[in-house]
Each structure stands twice: as structure tokens, then as C-alpha cells.
Amino acid sequence: MTDAATSIRVPRNSVADAALLADFLTMSEFGATPAGGVERQAATAEDGHTRAWFAQWLTARGFSVSYDRIGNMFGLYEFVPGAPYVLAGSHMDSQPRGGKYDGAYGVLAAAHAAQRLVQYYSTGAATPTFNIGVVNWFNEEGSRFKPSMMGSSVFAGKIELETALCATDPAGVTAQQALIDIGTISSNDVFGAGTGRSVACYAEIHIEQGRELDKGGITLGLVDKTWAANKYEISVIGAQAHTGATAMVDRQDALYGAALAVVAVRELAERYGEDLHTSCGQLTVYPNSPVVVAREVHMHLDLRSPSDTLLDEADAVLRQEFAMIELKADVHIERRYAHTWKGHTYQPEGVELSRQVAADLEVSQMLVQTRAGHDSTNMKDIVPSVMLFIPSVDGVSHAENEFTNNEDLVTGVDVLTETLARMLEGALNP
């Protein structure tokens, strides 16, 4: 690595910063909600409009745009014919009434960083070893189709393509049909065997979705580890009955059983403190009538921990709690794993690379762990990967009042640009 004084490829540029912020405002108009967030769940019309706009943005700047068989969107620029690609990106889909920063900033940041590097290398100031690509992963949020991180999971070989394509939304529409409807799916892959393209390494920048950076007044988080997670699909089975006429002792109230399960999951978190996060994010009640005792409730629960061992212990405790709930509520509980991943570390050389970049750019930094899942948690298992965070004000995320200051947005792109430049020149692939 050269001295810091000569290693910065693209110094901060006020015109480029203004362009980033203007594009972010434009992107945030797609699926905009009155309260300042966005709603563009995966493969909805709003997601399709965002993808169409982004495709135009990329092609206007010399990138070729392609989709793969699970609807991942790639903007590719070739410096060296036949060389592998450095990929950077995140996702543009959102939660229902979600925030406009989550995921989408990472895709736009990658695009602006890539554009700056295309301009830099076109001057002949240096010669990259690899090509560069921007990626918008399909269905990272997992709100319309389950599981989450679907596009990158298929790409990394963790979910079968057909399993993902056959996933259905609450209306019964498959992921495949939804992607066909918005015209962003291909019958071919973009990377892998037979394509002539491979990935050398990956980078992602994201809002933190927590308060550590914001509390500490720190600009950049260097992600060195991801929490483990268990996500469950739960069915609580009871018996449908009349809410007035049926004696209390005779009831097999699925909603009562589900309520006990929600409380048990929350109390499980209280037992372990901040080393375990738990939630119930969704309940669907059948028949959902005001005068009928519920016969069935479908629920989605998750447990997350920095410790694989603790997560396994919490899983065992949860089984015991469910057994007691079955007896107390006279119901049957079916439990299925919807999505799981172990806690893993990011490659130390990637963390060190981003630390050096932050130091060279004089950006304050700290090590952080990600409690949330990200596409980089899949990518790090197949190629060297870097994950960066910028602050979320008050730690708010998955909500319309999610917010990150403009100064942090532009600084994040500066750091990502320099990180990608060093990756393009072989820093993670010696």
C-alpha cells in the first residue's frame, strides 16, 4: 500500500456530493409515503419503477444492466476483459411503510462510487486488476416473500433457485410471477459457470440500524461479526368455537396460545439481557371473526444472539415453553425453521482494509457487530467481503422516521469509493 498522501484515488468533490444527494431524493420518490418513508416491497410495481429508473441511471453512465434467474440486478463495467468483478451494493426493496435509507442508500452509494472510479481509471492514472459491478439484490427484506436475503442466498448457493422462485406472498403470487410482472428476471445467470464472469470480492455499505455510532459520535462502523439468528414459522392449532356459547373450560383458543407464545418469547429475551434479541413480527389469525374463538394462528418469530451457544440454549428453552403453553391453552404448536444462520466473522483483511481507508480519509471509526442480516452475510461466505455502517439517528430503522444525516451519506460514499479502488487493485485478492 502506498503512503496515505498518495493513496487517495478520488478526493471529496462537492459537485459529486450534490449529485449523490439529488439522486437519493429522486430514488426516494418511488413508493414514497406521506410520513417520509417508502413502501416498495419486493417485485411490486413500486419496486419495478425504482429498478427501471436505476437501470436508466446505470446505462447512461456506461454500465451494462442484467438480471439473473432470481431477479438480482447488476450494473457491470468492464476494465479488463475476462477479469473477475468487484461487486458492491445492497437492496432497494423496503418493509411496509419502511424507511428510505435501509438498503437503498447502499445500492446508490455503490453506483456513485463505481461511477467515480470509472472516471478515475479513464484518466490512465492507474490500472485496475478487476472489473466493477453494482448489485441490487432481490427481496432482501423478506416482507413480501420469505425468507429474507433471498437474492443473495440463491447467488451464494444457500437456497435452491426453485425454492425461492416458488415462494408466495400472502395473496398467493409466486416470486417468479411477480418478477415476470415487473420485467426484471432472466432465464440466464449473470455470474457463475458458463457465463464467463466471476466475483473476486464484495463490499456493502448500510445504515447501522442501531445506536452505537450515533451515541458515540462516530462516523463509520467497521463490521467484523454478524449475530446468529433463528427465524421460525409457528402454527398454533386450536378449535373454532362460539365466543359466547362455548364454556371457557372447553375452549382450544389458538389466539390465546399465540399470545402466551408472544409473551414467552419476550420474557426469553429478558432472561438473557442484551445477548439475546427476540421478536414476533407477524400474526395471522383464522377465521379472524369477532364472534369466533380462533382455530389457528400463524406467527413469525425470531431469536438473535452474538453467541451460537446461547442461541442453541434459547432454542431449547423455547421448546420447553411451547410444551407448557400447549398444556395450558389446550392447543398444538407446530414449529418450523424458516431461515437460520450462524454467527460468523468477516475476513480480518477486509476489516483492516476499511480501517486503513478510514484512517487515510481521517474518518472516525469503530468496530461494530451487525445484529441484522445483510446480503454481505451471505457474500462473505463465498468471497472476501467488506461491510461498512454509517450512523442511524437514534437507531431508528424499518420505520418511516428512519434518518441519516447528509454529511454521513456523502462521507460513506467517499469511504466506499476508496475501499473499492483498493479492492479493484487487488488489496483483498493478492
Side-chain angles (χ1 to χ4, degrees), residues 57-80:
W57 190 101
L58 289 165
T59 55
R61 289 158 178 81
F63 293 80
S64 63
V65 176
S66 303
Y67 299 90
D68 67 9
R69 293 187 291 166
I70 191 55
N72 294 320
M73 177 183 184
F74 299 92
L76 305 179
Y77 193 95
E78 191 174 66
F79 295 118
V80 184

Side-chain angles (χ1 to χ4, degrees), residues 76-109:
L76 305 179
Y77 193 95
E78 191 174 66
F79 295 118
V80 184
Y85 281 77
V86 174
L87 277 186
S90 192
H91 62 95
M92 285 182 160
D93 66 311
S94 82
Q95 291 290 336
R97 293 180 60 180
K100 61 188 177 185
Y101 297 86
D102 177 6
Y105 163 71
V107 179
L108 190 64

Side-chain angles (χ1 to χ4, degrees), residues 52-210:
W53 168 80
F54 190 51
Q56 291 176 349
W57 190 101
L58 289 165
T59 55
R61 289 158 178 81
F63 293 80
S64 63
V65 176
S66 303
Y67 299 90
D68 67 9
R69 293 187 291 166
I70 191 55
N72 294 320
M73 177 183 184
F74 299 92
L76 305 179
Y77 193 95
E78 191 174 66
F79 295 118
V80 184
Y85 281 77
V86 174
L87 277 186
S90 192
H91 62 95
M92 285 182 160
D93 66 311
S94 82
Q95 291 290 336
R97 293 180 60 180
K100 61 188 177 185
Y101 297 86
D102 177 6
Y105 163 71
V107 179
L108 190 64
H112 271 260
Q115 179 198 12
R116 295 179 190 184
L117 291 171
V118 167
Q119 294 171 342
Y120 168 73
Y121 288 115
S122 70
T123 67
T127 302
T129 301
F130 300 118
N131 300 310
I132 195 161
V134 179
V135 57
N136 169 27
W137 300 107
F138 173 64
N139 190 43
E140 192 274 351
E141 291 292 359
S143 56
R144 183 180 181 190
F145 303 104
K146 298 173 182 63
S148 59
M149 303 185 291
M150 181 178 284
S152 60
S153 292
V154 171
F155 189 89
K158 297 186 175 185
I159 298 177
E160 293 294 330
L161 172 66
E162 288 304 315
T163 299
L165 291 175
C166 292
T168 57
D169 69 5
V173 178
T174 65
Q176 182 176 31
Q177 185 59 54
L179 285 164
I180 291 171
D181 290 344
I182 63 171
T184 61
I185 188 173
S186 171
S187 58
N188 301 306
D189 284 324
V190 177
F191 289 91
T195 67
R197 301 187 190 94
S198 61
V199 179
C201 48
Y202 177 73
E204 182 170 350
I205 193 166
H206 204 281
I207 60 169
E208 183 190 6
Q209 300 177 289

